[in-house]
Amino acid sequence: MTEYGRGPGSEPWHPEDPLYGDQGWGGRQAAHGQGQYGDQQQSYQQDPYAQQYQGHQPQEPYAQHQQYGQQHQQYDQQQNHQQYGAPQHDPYAQQPGAQPQYNGGWDTGQQSAMAYGAEPQDPYAQHPGAYDTGQDHYGTPEAYPPPQPPGRREAAPGQQQSRQEPTDWGADEPQEETHPFFTGADAPAGREPRDDDDPDDDGSRSSRRDRGGDERRGGKGKKKKSRSGVACLVVSVVLVGGLGGVSYVGYTFWQKQFGAPADYTGSGTGEQVEVEIPEGAFGYDIANILRKKGVIKSSDAFVAAQNDNPKGKSLQAGVYLLKKEMSAASAISLMLDPKSQNPFVIPEGTRNATVYEMIDKRLELKKGTTADIAKTKAESLGLPDWADDNPDVKDPLEGFLYPAAYPVAKGSKPEDALKRMVTRANKEYGKVDLEASAKKLGLKTPWELVTVASLVQVEGKYKHDFDKVARVVYNRLKPGNMETVGRLEFDSTVNYIKNESTLDVGAVDDLRKIDDPYNTYKIIGLPSGPISNPGADALHSAMNPTPGPWYYFVSINEDKTVFAETNEEHERNRREYEDGKAGQ
């Protein structure tokens, strides 16, 4: 059996040979047609491992160790001789013109003399513990580490070698390497082992070196792989989370665009709730109010049901008594039913005193609470500049609590309701030019025009008579009036003073004795202020009275109101009315 790393006549090779570095398993061998120690290279070169030498028998390991000791003895003798002045030569230095020094096997002992004065280069001088000297020739940093089996060696740059499988003696447990070449310390910084490196591939020595270096550095490669696994897990979680978010957004968009909106079923629970819908509220405005009150589940469902209902667009402002958790369709149907509406309605011609009592009752307040607030906070409720601040005015809000339906929900404040009514009056009065109309009719201010409208509202029982009643007012206010001598003499003013509503106010002589700025039986002209809250019809008639010479009138029934120019005629009409009433 031919031993690897040997040429004809060479010394046996030892696995721990340090002399020639990491030059491959066999180093440079004496191939066919080539000298062993420096002969000129022949015309061709063959694989040194392909030569077979007949008759050459492998030596036993013990014989190799014996030869190893003899070589060390020869070397020590040479060193002793050199220490006493013999010329010293580097046994491994290349001679000019010669081939590179043989480095693939064990030295044969044939060394050239060293140049005189050169420093000795003893690679074993600092290694105590040698076989025969007691020194370790591998312990210094300058020494090469022990060679490794062929399977773990790296080919020198520019040198092409074939790998051989390790022999039987290479199966022993290898020693831990410390040289940078094997530990990977000389590898480029940041170099990561590739996953596609094949550990069995002869052409991937550098990859195995890096991988082996990572393992000898405490398993850092495994840590890198572990970190890579964690990174993959994090990326997967992020991708799954992102996919879930996109799916949720897409589903929500689809639901909003094509899906049915959320809605309750049925006509609601037994719990009632009072809902106030303000003026100018439409569609989504109403829906949002109902949703916040717990009546419906979603605004979209309400708007859809409102569009489906032919009368859905006719919902008005006001207060509604509804139930919680109603379907949108049932909520709209109930709101269209007058029974569900719970508005606070002020009839035309209602006095403020009556309105205050109604508010107290609606809000479940102590009687007189709203009247006290109106008296103390009248100036902060939004009255117009032309409102008279005459101290004789009994109530500055009279005539400004406009007759209409208002949302006065339980739990609200009285001043809020009053302010809403004054705001409505200003809005309605602003639609007409009160100042210009007052001037045209001989009145001083819009305040007086509103006062006339309040008288027409109370004295005229029927709207089709309002225009003539307004004419009677203006005729009696004329300075040259000889029938009433400038006095209005309306029973309604006496009832206002007494806070009553009766037709029998008493004898004229007794009425003239009542000393009050609102007593039209005594004073000449208009009372100090309005005596009721007139509606739009009364205001229109006050601004546009029917021309006529009437000073008196009496309403016999809904279809008949008799007007007269003189008192005599008026008395006949009144007796006729009383007789007809008595005959019924």
Side-chain angles (χ1 to χ4, degrees):
M1 175 178 178
T2 303
E3 186 173 356
Y4 297 109
R6 294 174 52 86
S10 64
E11 294 295 331
W13 180 87
H14 192 272
E16 297 180 355
D17 184 4
L19 295 179
Y20 299 105
D22 190 18
Q23 298 296 328
W25 176 248
R28 297 193 177 184
Q29 304 296 332
H32 180 72
Q34 181 180 359
Q36 183 176 3
Y37 296 110
D39 293 340
Q40 295 295 327
Q41 186 174 354
Q42 300 298 320
S43 60
Y44 61 91
Q45 183 176 3
Q46 296 182 356
D47 185 359
Y49 297 96
Q51 298 180 7
Q52 302 294 333
Y53 303 99
Q54 299 180 357
H56 184 81
Q57 300 295 330
Q59 295 183 1
E60 297 294 332
Y62 298 101
Q64 293 178 357
H65 283 288
Q66 183 177 3
Q67 295 178 359
Y68 182 83
Q70 293 176 359
Q71 292 175 355
H72 277 287
Q73 291 178 1
Q74 295 177 2
Y75 181 79
D76 291 340
Q77 293 176 3
Q78 292 176 359
Q79 295 299 322
N80 293 334
H81 178 72
Q82 292 174 358
Q83 291 178 0
Y84 290 95
Q88 300 179 358
H89 295 279
D90 186 357
Y92 311 111
Q94 298 182 1
Q95 297 299 325
Q99 294 294 330
Q101 186 67 29
Y102 171 76
N103 56 0
W106 186 257
D107 187 18
T108 59
Q110 299 178 0
Q111 300 178 357
S112 303
M114 297 178 60
Y116 183 79
E119 292 294 332
Q121 301 294 332
D122 185 5
Y124 302 97
Q126 298 179 1
H127 289 269
Y131 286 99
D132 58 341
T133 61
Q135 296 181 354
D136 184 5
H137 295 283
Y138 300 93
T140 61
E142 293 80 6
Y144 286 105
Q148 298 300 317
R152 299 179 60 183
R153 282 201 172 204
E154 178 73 15
Q159 181 179 5
Q160 302 295 331
Q161 294 184 357
S162 300
R163 270 189 66 212
Q164 299 293 337
E165 294 296 330
T167 58
D168 294 340
W169 53 261
D172 296 338
E173 182 178 356
Q175 298 181 2
E176 181 178 2
E177 293 113 356
T178 60
H179 195 276
F181 179 86
F182 297 103
T183 60
D186 58 345
R191 203 274 189 184
E192 294 288 345
R194 297 184 303 177
D195 293 338
D196 56 352
D197 288 344
D198 186 0
D200 296 331
D201 188 4
D202 293 344
S204 59
R205 295 180 182 271
S206 60
S207 300
R208 291 195 302 274
R209 180 194 64 189
D210 292 339
R211 189 160 53 246
D214 289 339
E215 293 176 356
R216 285 185 288 274
R217 285 193 291 270
K220 291 184 180 180
K222 294 182 179 179
K223 292 183 180 180
K224 291 180 180 179
K225 291 183 179 179
S226 177
R227 288 195 296 268
S228 299
V230 173
C232 292
L233 178 60
V234 172
V235 172
S236 300
V237 171
V238 171
L239 291 177
V240 172
L243 180 60
V246 172
S247 300
Y248 175 78
V249 172
Y251 175 77
T252 303
F253 176 79
W254 184 89
Q255 282 290 96
K256 289 183 177 180
Q257 296 296 326
F258 308 104
D263 196 5
Y264 292 120
T265 58
S267 57
T269 63
E271 183 180 357
Q272 279 192 333
V273 57
E274 190 177 63
V275 181
E276 177 182 343
I277 305 300
E279 286 190 43
F282 303 97
Y284 276 101
D285 299 329
I286 300 175
N288 290 332
I289 295 173
L290 297 179
R291 180 176 55 80
K292 292 178 181 179
K293 288 288 186 178
V295 177
I296 60 174
K297 192 170 186 179
S298 68
S299 300
D300 291 338
F302 180 86
V303 173
Q306 187 181 26
N307 293 331
D308 293 339
N309 193 311
K311 298 182 179 180
K313 300 294 185 179
S314 62
L315 293 176
Q316 301 294 325
V319 176
Y320 297 85
L321 289 177
L322 305 174
K323 296 180 181 180
K324 287 192 172 183
E325 297 185 3
M326 301 180 68
S327 67
S330 61
I332 292 176
S333 298
L334 186 57
M335 293 178 72
L336 292 174
D337 187 353
K339 295 180 180 179
S340 69
Q341 300 180 12
N342 189 28
F344 183 85
V345 180
I346 301 177
E348 296 175 344
T350 305
R351 301 173 188 161
N352 280 8
T354 305
V355 176
Y356 299 150
E357 292 176 1
M358 292 168 61
I359 294 176
D360 289 340
K361 184 178 180 180
R362 181 64 172 265
L363 301 180
E364 300 179 354
L365 302 174
K366 181 180 178 181
K367 186 177 181 179
T369 300
T370 305
D372 292 340
I373 292 175
K375 185 177 181 178
T376 58
K377 297 184 178 181
E379 296 181 356
S380 64
L381 297 177
L383 290 172
D385 296 337
W386 47 264
D388 198 345
D389 56 355
N390 188 339
D392 293 336
V393 175
K394 294 183 179 297
D395 187 348
L397 295 180
E398 196 77 66
F400 288 92
L401 303 183
Y402 195 81
Y406 296 95
V408 181
K410 293 181 180 180
S412 61
K413 297 180 180 180
E415 52 267 36
D416 293 338
L418 296 175
K419 189 172 183 178
R420 187 177 290 113
M421 297 171 188
V422 173
T423 301
R424 177 67 180 275
N426 291 333
K427 179 180 179 181
E428 297 298 329
Y429 294 159
K431 293 179 180 179
V432 294
D433 192 352
L434 294 181
E435 188 172 357
S437 297
K439 186 177 181 181
K440 181 181 66 175
L441 296 169
L443 302 176
K444 298 179 180 178
T445 63
W447 175 266
E448 291 184 348
L449 183 56
V450 173
T451 301
V452 171
S454 69
L455 294 171
V456 172
Q457 184 72 62
V458 177
E459 288 291 333
K461 291 184 178 180
Y462 310 106
K463 293 183 179 180
H464 57 268
D465 295 333
F466 284 173
D467 294 348
K468 291 183 178 181
V469 172
R471 175 50 63 186
V472 171
V473 173
Y474 290 118
N475 287 341
R476 289 187 181 186
L477 290 176
K478 290 180 179 179
N481 170 24
M482 300 303 295
E483 293 292 331
T484 61
V485 193
R487 292 188 293 264
L488 293 179
E489 295 182 354
F490 287 155
D491 294 345
S492 57
T493 60
V494 176
N495 285 330
Y496 182 78
I497 295 171
K498 295 180 179 182
N499 196 22
E500 297 177 350
S501 295
T502 179
L503 294 175
D504 189 8
V505 294
V508 175
D509 294 338
D510 295 335
L511 296 176
R512 296 187 190 279
K513 295 178 181 178
I514 301 174
D515 187 11
D516 193 285
Y518 283 79
N519 184 8
T520 57
Y521 279 93
K522 183 178 182 178
I523 66 171
I524 296 176
L526 293 171
S528 298
I531 63 174
S532 71
N533 293 289
D537 293 334
L539 182 61
H540 181 270
S541 296
M543 297 173 61
N544 302 280
T546 300
W550 312 291
Y551 287 92
Y552 306 94
F553 66 93
V554 58
S555 297
I556 298 176
N557 52 47
E558 184 177 354
D559 298 331
K560 187 177 182 180
T561 299
V562 181
F563 292 86
E565 297 181 18
T566 63
N567 189 38
E568 292 79 6
E569 185 181 0
H570 173 62
E571 288 296 327
R572 289 194 304 267
N573 295 335
R574 187 171 62 84
R575 285 193 297 267
E576 182 180 354
Y577 166 70
E578 292 176 355
D579 293 342
K581 187 177 181 180
Q584 292 180 354

